[in-house]
Amino acid sequence: MHDACTAPVFSPLERTQMEYSADDVATARILQYLAYIYTALAMFWTYDYVCSLHEESTFLLRSPWTKVKTLYIITRYVPFCLITTSLYLSLASNENPNKCQIFINIYTCFAVISLTCSECFFVFRTHALWNRGRIVLVAMLSTLFAVVISFVGIWFTAISTSHFVTSAIPGITGCNRISSSVQLYLPFIFLFVFQLGLVSLTLIRTIQSWRSTNGPIHVVLVKHNIFYYVCGLLLSAVNVLVPMLFPDSAYHSFLEDLEVCILAILATRMHLHLWHMNQHMRRSGGLVWISMSNIS
């Protein structure tokens, strides 16, 4: 008799699903997943930073101040600002969509700066492979400038037309942008074409100079360039295909941040390796087959 009068017991998830709509529950789940993903990305970035701290401190203390060293510092530390802003968007209470849009614009600025600096590293490396030819450098920098301008204009236009969502369920923090606009993947098409052009220049120069220039610095430079562009092309292709195949997906922003962070890690890690290798060859009296003035 007592059991028949007892009220049914529901789990917290079941009570939430009864009190809120299916869309509210789905949005809350997405925001929770994004918070977990961005926390994992922050941990991965911190782990990489700690692992390379000794090599990085040696490079920063012993290398002379050059434009590439300044570029290294920007490329290395701007993603910290990007990840911090992303974590704030995922973990802080942002009930105002306008406030959410402001912070998304801020982290988009950091993403564009980091992506541009990462690409500049390999513009200089490709320039070194081409024996510092002025025409090649002007062509690459002009193309990169056009890509960045298009990137900024299209990306910020897409963000301004995006829909910003927050959780209606108490205790679920964060906000996110959702957009099915075709403009979201256009910048990555331009980036894909630019990276394809640079890897083509690298392969052409490698074929031309393979017999005459085969020193260790040259070999490492070519391997780094090709590996970087393979990763860049793959990530850019993902950022093009996912919005096309899943236009309403809420994970576009994470994929964009992932490409920015991975390319920044590759660019700075490869530069550290090349610089330390060059220093070792100088101490051992080995020949440096490629001028390091533009890439060290």
Side-chain angles (χ1 to χ4, degrees):
M1 186 71 178
H2 176 73
D3 293 338
C5 297
T6 302
V9 178
F10 297 102
S11 67
L13 180 59
E14 290 173 332
R15 288 198 300 268
T16 298
Q17 291 175 337
M18 293 176 62
E19 295 174 5
Y20 298 95
S21 67
D23 289 340
D24 290 337
V25 174
T27 299
R29 283 176 174 169
I30 289 172
L31 292 174
Q32 282 186 317
Y33 291 153
L34 286 174
Y36 299 149
I37 291 171
Y38 280 117
T39 302
L41 182 61
M43 294 176 63
F44 171 71
W45 182 268
T46 304
Y47 173 78
D48 174 77
Y49 178 77
V50 171
C51 289
S52 61
L53 186 59
H54 176 70
E55 292 181 349
E56 182 171 307
S57 60
T58 303
F59 164 70
L60 294 176
L61 293 174
R62 296 184 182 180
S63 64
W65 278 101
T66 61
K67 60 180 178 292
V68 177
K69 184 175 180 178
T70 304
L71 186 65
Y72 176 93
I73 294 174
I74 297 172
T75 308
R76 183 59 168 162
Y77 292 101
V78 165
F80 278 108
C81 302
L82 172 68
I83 292 174
T84 301
T85 309
S86 299
L87 283 175
Y88 177 81
L89 285 170
S90 299
L91 301 177
S93 298
N94 293 307
E95 298 179 357
N96 187 351
N98 292 330
K99 182 180 178 182
C100 180
Q101 182 175 1
I102 291 173
F103 278 96
I104 287 178
N105 285 331
I106 291 173
Y107 97 78
T108 300
C109 291
F110 289 138
V112 171
I113 293 171
S114 178
L115 205 56
T116 303
C117 291
S118 298
E119 295 300 317
C120 280
F121 259 111
F122 286 86
V123 166
F124 289 134
R125 284 168 168 251
T126 306
H127 182 220
L129 285 174
W130 282 84
N131 297 326
R132 300 171 62 190
R134 185 177 297 273
I135 295 177
V136 174
L137 179 62
V138 171
M140 290 188 295
L141 289 179
S142 300
T143 306
L144 178 60
F145 179 76
V147 169
V148 170
I149 294 300
S150 302
F151 212 103
V152 171
I154 295 173
W155 215 354
F156 278 96
T157 301
I159 290 174
S160 65
T161 59
S162 297
H163 175 58
F164 299 92
V165 296
T166 58
S167 176
I169 302 176
I172 305 298
T173 60
C175 69
N176 189 39
R177 64 174 171 87
I178 298 177
S179 174
S180 58
S181 173
V182 68
Q183 294 175 324
L184 274 177
Y185 59 80
L186 281 178
F188 291 97
I189 293 178
F190 296 146
L191 183 61
F192 183 91
V193 173
F194 177 73
Q195 292 170 338
L196 191 61
L198 288 188
V199 75
S200 299
L201 286 174
T202 298
L203 292 175
I204 291 171
R205 188 58 182 172
T206 301
I207 294 171
Q208 290 178 347
S209 60
W210 185 255
R211 294 181 181 274
S212 60
T213 308
N214 56 0
I217 291 289
H218 180 271
V219 173
V220 170
L221 198 60
V222 170
K223 288 182 178 179
H224 282 184
N225 278 24
I226 292 176
F227 182 74
Y228 175 88
Y229 289 126
V230 168
C231 294
L233 289 170
L234 178 62
L235 291 169
S236 295
V238 169
N239 274 301
V240 171
L241 293 175
V242 170
M244 291 177 63
L245 298 176
F246 308 99
D248 297 323
S249 173
Y251 300 100
H252 296 163
S253 58
F254 165 71
L255 293 175
E256 295 163 1
D257 292 351
L258 181 64
E259 177 167 1
V260 171
C261 291
I262 293 297
L263 294 186
I265 288 174
L266 289 176
T268 52
R269 277 280 193 161
M270 290 177 177
H271 184 73
L272 283 180
H273 177 70
L274 193 66
W275 183 84
H276 282 282
M277 183 177 180
N278 186 55
Q279 294 299 110
H280 175 73
M281 291 185 64
R282 286 181 176 178
R283 288 194 298 268
S284 62
L287 293 176
V288 180
W289 290 84
I290 290 181
S291 173
M292 293 289 292
S293 61
N294 272 354
I295 53 177
S296 64

